[in-house]
Amino acid sequence: MDVSHLLDSLNDAQRQAVAAPLAPALVLAGAGSGKTRVLVHRIAWLIQVEGVSPQGILSVTFTNKAAAEMRGRVEALLRIPSASLWIGTFHGLAHRLLRMHWREAALTQTFQILDSDDQTRIIKKVLKALDLDETRWVPREIQWFINAQKDEGLRPKHIKDDGDPTRRQLIKIYQAYEDACQRAQVVDFAELLLRAFEIWRDNPSLLAHYRNRFRHVLVDEFQDTNTIQYKWLSLLAGPDGMPFVVGDDDQSIYRWRGARVENLNQFRRDFPGTQLFRLEQNYRSTGTILKAANALIANNSGRMGKTLWTSGEDGEKVRIYAAFNERDEADFVINRIRDWSQRGGARREVAILYRSNAQSRVLEEALLNARIPYRVYGGLRFFERAEIKDALAYLRLMSSRTDDTSFERVVNLPTRGIGAKTLDTVRAHARANGTSLWAAAGASIRELPQKAAQSLNAFLSMIEKMQAETQSLELHEKVDHVVQASGLIEHFKKEKGERGEARIDNLAELVSAARGFTLEADSELSPLDSFLAHAVLESGEAQGDAWDDCVQMMTLHSAKGLEFPVVFMTGMEDGLFPHQRSIGELASLEEERRLCYVGATRAMRQLYLTYAEQRRLHGVDTFGQASRFIGELPAELLDEVRPRVQVSRPVYVGRKNLEEPTPTGMRMGSRVRHGKFGDGVVLNFEGNGPHARIQVNFERQGTKWLMLSYANLEVV
Ligand code: ATP
Ligand code: MG
């Protein structure tokens, strides 16, 4: 077979990795060196040269977007449909397994997936049932605890309380939560993985079947696998397996969510004879961008050590913009995008990156005003919008009557006279008999006052009726029928103004999403169940591909693995990025630096770093200084777009000057109190007169710069 074509577009090092003998392999290499490209070519190589059947390949990527891209690339290389390949995210693949083996997983065929919000709701219910106070047992923290246990592969019975009463209580809540999910037949994200692991661990013949089938397991972004993902992979590969994994320790950015970069070393221990490949040539970025990124990451300790070079040109300098405030920052970004478009660049080639989702709002407003189309990845996600979840809840309930979360969501939406008292009766009934709310509703009708009974009965029959009526309809017709017949459209029509209209538009969009939905080739699921799973699993990503030429907006985390000709990293202020809570701890600070490295290495030709001296975020004004990460870049690579008259680094005023702006006798080290931020210690002053600013390290809120004249600080 002529394979020259397959290896043509690769350099020597890449070629060696792609054509490596059938044995475990680890490609450890920096950003933009072609790791993902190697992985895709390896798949093609296995099929075309090693004669592996496409059904024998399982490939894991980090996002659905990456999975779709990988499918496309494999198809282009091989000119075969990629549907028979198992390419997906860990969650997507685990879900697929559980759907096929729901019996082994002790689930019903119609189990539903819980997103993070619904998970919080269930935890709140569990707390209530256990009579625990939410201020003491904070639902979000409990959620964090439960997910962390699952990510480590631990069930309640595996966890020791070590005589600690708080821990004992947490374990009890975890157990109660698990019971509630099992009763409702719902599975949260972490559970997908844990259960997929357990069905293999506990069913030797099932495991043997999959080991035999998937002799070739490939993983992209391996540095961000967590414990359970690693266990799942190792179990599948088995002691004689030959996984092919690619990763970069410098791009490990999910430690905070349980990712273990040590898995890179663990892998080499667990799979003796692992072939190690290193790629050093970067094909993505200009020399300048690469030098800047290399200089930045050099500040981290304990790196595995890699070199990256490019044969490309140096290109333009990294542009730094010090904005007055967040609106000035947005204007700057918009003007640069206009320039880019005017010179013939496409909008989709531009990415705006930020540390946290909340930062996107101001940028979005500015883009809207400027009539520049954009698309936000993550953030307010289509499938997570309230009205979409309402419609999905009806559909989920039609598919699975035990889904209590959905039941609660829509039983009285739109209002149909089912009040809190009725629901309490139903809930009590469900608790007492260990049944679903649906079953309890049916059973408790006789105990209810006549009117309540009628309303409840009407709801139950409506769901039954909708299911019967839509039985033979196409998926999108089903969805359409449900948004109408449920009364949701009518309900949102009553909502005043644009909000209601937007909701109705979104429901229409849901119908068209259903129309455009394509089933996976060998899916065991009904189209409806498949669509419902897709809605939960895909919710974190693109909001449909309806608009072609859009500016891309996303958090730094979700930019991993992607590349864009022009990249704006916005909000480059200390406290925002690196994030306030990471500054004090070296390991967290280094993770933030890796995140910065990931951001910078997304850029192919132009990289902009912008920060605002004053920023209003979450309704609070803060005065920031340039991120320390900017300070870590070699000055000769930078171009300050608007040179500051003043230095933007903190100016340490001498002791004598200190007395001037501080008639109240505040000095460095003074303890002060702020109406909102509480107590803190004065760290610094800057400027004088009405522009004087003061830096305070607040005990609970961290370090902030405040305008002295507005801050109303009180010396304590
Ligand atoms: P990241 O660490 O960011 O995930 P990566 O190592 O996976 O990066 P790729 O995305 O595979 O890198 O490749 C980066 C860019 O370089 C892509 O546009 C890719 O097509 C291109 N590229 C990689 N290898 C070559 C090559 N040998 N010749 C030409 N272009 C290449
Ligand atoms: Mg990659």
Side-chain angles (χ1 to χ4, degrees), residues 9-11 14 30-37 73 221 251 283-284 561 563 602:
S9 58
L10 301 171
N11 65 31
Q14 293 173 335
S33 59
K35 292 182 298 298
T36 303
R37 189 179 178 101
R73 293 210 218 167
E221 307 276 4
Q251 295 187 68
Y283 288 90
R284 179 179 294 148
E563 60 188 21
R602 299 309 95 200

Short mmCIF file of all heavy atoms in Angstrom, two decimals, residues 9-11 14 30-37 73 221 251 283-284 561 563 602, ligand 1:
data_model
loop_
_atom_site.label_atom_id
_atom_site.label_comp_id
_atom_site.label_asym_id
_atom_site.label_seq_id
_atom_site.Cartn_x
_atom_site.Cartn_y
_atom_site.Cartn_z
N SER A 9 3.10 14.95 5.06
CA SER A 9 3.00 16.27 5.67
C SER A 9 3.51 16.26 7.09
O SER A 9 3.05 17.03 7.92
CB SER A 9 1.53 16.68 5.66
OG SER A 9 0.80 15.70 6.36
N LEU A 10 4.43 15.38 7.40
CA LEU A 10 4.94 15.30 8.77
C LEU A 10 6.45 15.49 8.77
O LEU A 10 7.13 15.16 7.79
CB LEU A 10 4.62 13.92 9.37
CG LEU A 10 3.15 13.52 9.43
CD1 LEU A 10 3.02 12.06 9.84
CD2 LEU A 10 2.39 14.41 10.42
N ASN A 11 6.99 15.97 9.89
CA ASN A 11 8.44 16.03 10.00
C ASN A 11 8.96 14.68 10.53
O ASN A 11 8.17 13.79 10.87
CB ASN A 11 8.89 17.21 10.86
CG ASN A 11 8.44 17.07 12.32
OD1 ASN A 11 8.31 15.96 12.83
ND2 ASN A 11 8.19 18.20 12.96
N GLN A 14 7.72 13.52 14.01
CA GLN A 14 6.29 13.18 13.94
C GLN A 14 6.09 11.84 13.25
O GLN A 14 5.29 11.01 13.68
CB GLN A 14 5.52 14.28 13.20
CG GLN A 14 5.49 15.61 13.94
CD GLN A 14 4.88 16.73 13.10
OE1 GLN A 14 4.90 16.66 11.87
NE2 GLN A 14 4.36 17.74 13.76
N GLY A 30 5.61 20.19 23.41
CA GLY A 30 5.03 21.49 23.70
C GLY A 30 3.89 21.88 22.77
O GLY A 30 3.52 21.15 21.84
N ALA A 31 3.35 23.06 23.03
CA ALA A 31 2.18 23.54 22.30
C ALA A 31 2.49 23.72 20.82
O ALA A 31 3.57 24.18 20.46
CB ALA A 31 1.74 24.87 22.89
N GLY A 32 1.53 23.34 20.00
CA GLY A 32 1.64 23.61 18.57
C GLY A 32 2.69 22.80 17.84
O GLY A 32 3.05 23.11 16.71
N SER A 33 3.17 21.72 18.48
CA SER A 33 4.22 20.93 17.85
C SER A 33 3.64 19.79 17.02
O SER A 33 4.38 19.02 16.43
CB SER A 33 5.15 20.38 18.91
OG SER A 33 4.41 19.58 19.82
N GLY A 34 2.33 19.68 16.99
CA GLY A 34 1.71 18.68 16.13
C GLY A 34 1.28 17.41 16.85
O GLY A 34 1.11 16.37 16.21
N LYS A 35 1.06 17.48 18.16
CA LYS A 35 0.63 16.29 18.90
C LYS A 35 -0.71 15.76 18.38
O LYS A 35 -0.86 14.57 18.11
CB LYS A 35 0.49 16.60 20.39
CG LYS A 35 1.80 16.89 21.08
CD LYS A 35 1.59 17.14 22.58
CE LYS A 35 0.72 18.36 22.87
NZ LYS A 35 1.29 19.61 22.38
N THR A 36 -1.66 16.67 18.25
CA THR A 36 -2.98 16.24 17.80
C THR A 36 -2.90 15.73 16.35
O THR A 36 -3.53 14.74 15.99
CB THR A 36 -3.98 17.40 17.92
OG1 THR A 36 -4.00 17.84 19.27
CG2 THR A 36 -5.38 16.97 17.53
N ARG A 37 -2.08 16.42 15.58
CA ARG A 37 -1.89 15.98 14.21
C ARG A 37 -1.30 14.57 14.16
O ARG A 37 -1.74 13.73 13.38
CB ARG A 37 -0.94 16.97 13.52
CG ARG A 37 -0.79 16.79 12.02
CD ARG A 37 0.17 17.87 11.56
NE ARG A 37 0.50 17.87 10.16
CZ ARG A 37 -0.02 18.70 9.27
NH1 ARG A 37 -0.97 19.54 9.64
NH2 ARG A 37 0.38 18.66 8.03
N ARG A 73 -10.91 15.10 10.29
CA ARG A 73 -9.56 14.91 9.79
C ARG A 73 -9.31 13.46 9.37
O ARG A 73 -8.65 13.20 8.38
CB ARG A 73 -8.54 15.32 10.86
CG ARG A 73 -8.57 16.81 11.16
CD ARG A 73 -7.18 17.24 11.58
NE ARG A 73 -7.24 18.23 12.66
CZ ARG A 73 -6.17 18.58 13.37
NH1 ARG A 73 -5.00 18.01 13.16
NH2 ARG A 73 -6.28 19.49 14.32
N GLU A 221 -4.39 15.32 24.94
CA GLU A 221 -4.39 16.13 26.17
C GLU A 221 -4.30 15.25 27.41
O GLU A 221 -5.02 15.45 28.40
CB GLU A 221 -5.66 17.00 26.26
CG GLU A 221 -5.94 17.85 25.03
CD GLU A 221 -5.19 19.16 25.03
OE1 GLU A 221 -4.40 19.40 25.95
OE2 GLU A 221 -5.40 19.95 24.10
N GLN A 251 0.86 22.30 29.87
CA GLN A 251 -0.50 22.72 29.58
C GLN A 251 -1.51 22.04 30.50
O GLN A 251 -2.70 21.94 30.16
CB GLN A 251 -0.85 22.44 28.12
CG GLN A 251 -0.02 23.27 27.15
CD GLN A 251 -0.50 23.09 25.72
OE1 GLN A 251 -1.59 23.53 25.36
NE2 GLN A 251 0.30 22.43 24.91
N TYR A 283 4.71 24.66 14.79
CA TYR A 283 4.25 25.08 13.47
C TYR A 283 3.16 26.14 13.55
O TYR A 283 2.61 26.54 12.56
CB TYR A 283 3.68 23.88 12.71
CG TYR A 283 4.73 22.92 12.23
CD1 TYR A 283 5.14 21.87 13.03
CD2 TYR A 283 5.33 23.08 10.98
CE1 TYR A 283 6.10 20.98 12.60
CE2 TYR A 283 6.29 22.20 10.54
CZ TYR A 283 6.68 21.15 11.35
OH TYR A 283 7.63 20.28 10.92
N ARG A 284 2.81 26.49 14.76
CA ARG A 284 1.64 27.33 14.91
C ARG A 284 1.96 28.81 14.95
O ARG A 284 1.34 29.60 14.24
CB ARG A 284 0.89 26.94 16.18
CG ARG A 284 -0.34 27.77 16.45
CD ARG A 284 -1.05 27.33 17.71
NE ARG A 284 -1.61 25.99 17.59
CZ ARG A 284 -1.73 25.13 18.59
NH1 ARG A 284 -1.31 25.47 19.79
NH2 ARG A 284 -2.25 23.94 18.39
N GLY A 561 -6.04 23.43 23.06
CA GLY A 561 -6.02 22.60 21.84
C GLY A 561 -6.38 23.34 20.57
O GLY A 561 -6.17 22.85 19.48
N GLU A 563 -6.50 26.85 17.88
CA GLU A 563 -5.55 27.87 17.41
C GLU A 563 -6.28 28.92 16.58
O GLU A 563 -7.27 28.62 15.92
CB GLU A 563 -4.41 27.22 16.60
CG GLU A 563 -4.87 26.47 15.36
CD GLU A 563 -3.73 25.66 14.70
OE1 GLU A 563 -2.74 25.37 15.37
OE2 GLU A 563 -3.87 25.34 13.51
N ARG A 602 -2.06 29.84 21.77
CA ARG A 602 -3.17 29.65 20.81
C ARG A 602 -2.95 30.55 19.59
O ARG A 602 -3.56 30.36 18.54
CB ARG A 602 -4.54 30.02 21.42
CG ARG A 602 -5.01 29.25 22.63
CD ARG A 602 -4.94 27.77 22.43
NE ARG A 602 -3.70 27.24 22.97
CZ ARG A 602 -3.18 26.07 22.64
NH1 ARG A 602 -3.77 25.30 21.75
NH2 ARG A 602 -2.05 25.65 23.17
P1 ATP B 1 -1.58 21.87 21.40
O1 ATP B 1 -0.51 21.52 22.40
O2 ATP B 1 -1.91 23.30 21.46
O3 ATP B 1 -2.74 20.94 21.48
P2 ATP B 1 -0.54 20.31 19.21
O4 ATP B 1 0.81 19.86 19.65
O5 ATP B 1 -1.63 19.35 19.33
O6 ATP B 1 -0.89 21.67 19.95
P3 ATP B 1 -1.41 20.62 16.51
O7 ATP B 1 -2.67 21.31 16.80
O8 ATP B 1 -1.46 19.19 16.14
O9 ATP B 1 -0.39 20.82 17.73
O10 ATP B 1 -0.59 21.39 15.40
C1 ATP B 1 -0.41 22.79 15.46
C2 ATP B 1 -0.50 23.39 14.07
O11 ATP B 1 0.66 23.05 13.31
C3 ATP B 1 -1.67 22.88 13.27
O12 ATP B 1 -2.17 23.90 12.47
C4 ATP B 1 -1.05 21.79 12.44
O13 ATP B 1 -1.78 21.55 11.26
C5 ATP B 1 0.31 22.37 12.12
N1 ATP B 1 1.35 21.34 11.87
C6 ATP B 1 1.73 20.38 12.71
N2 ATP B 1 2.71 19.62 12.16
C7 ATP B 1 2.94 20.12 10.93
C8 ATP B 1 3.83 19.78 9.85
N3 ATP B 1 4.69 18.76 9.95
N4 ATP B 1 3.78 20.55 8.75
C9 ATP B 1 2.92 21.58 8.66
N5 ATP B 1 2.08 21.95 9.62
C10 ATP B 1 2.07 21.24 10.74
#
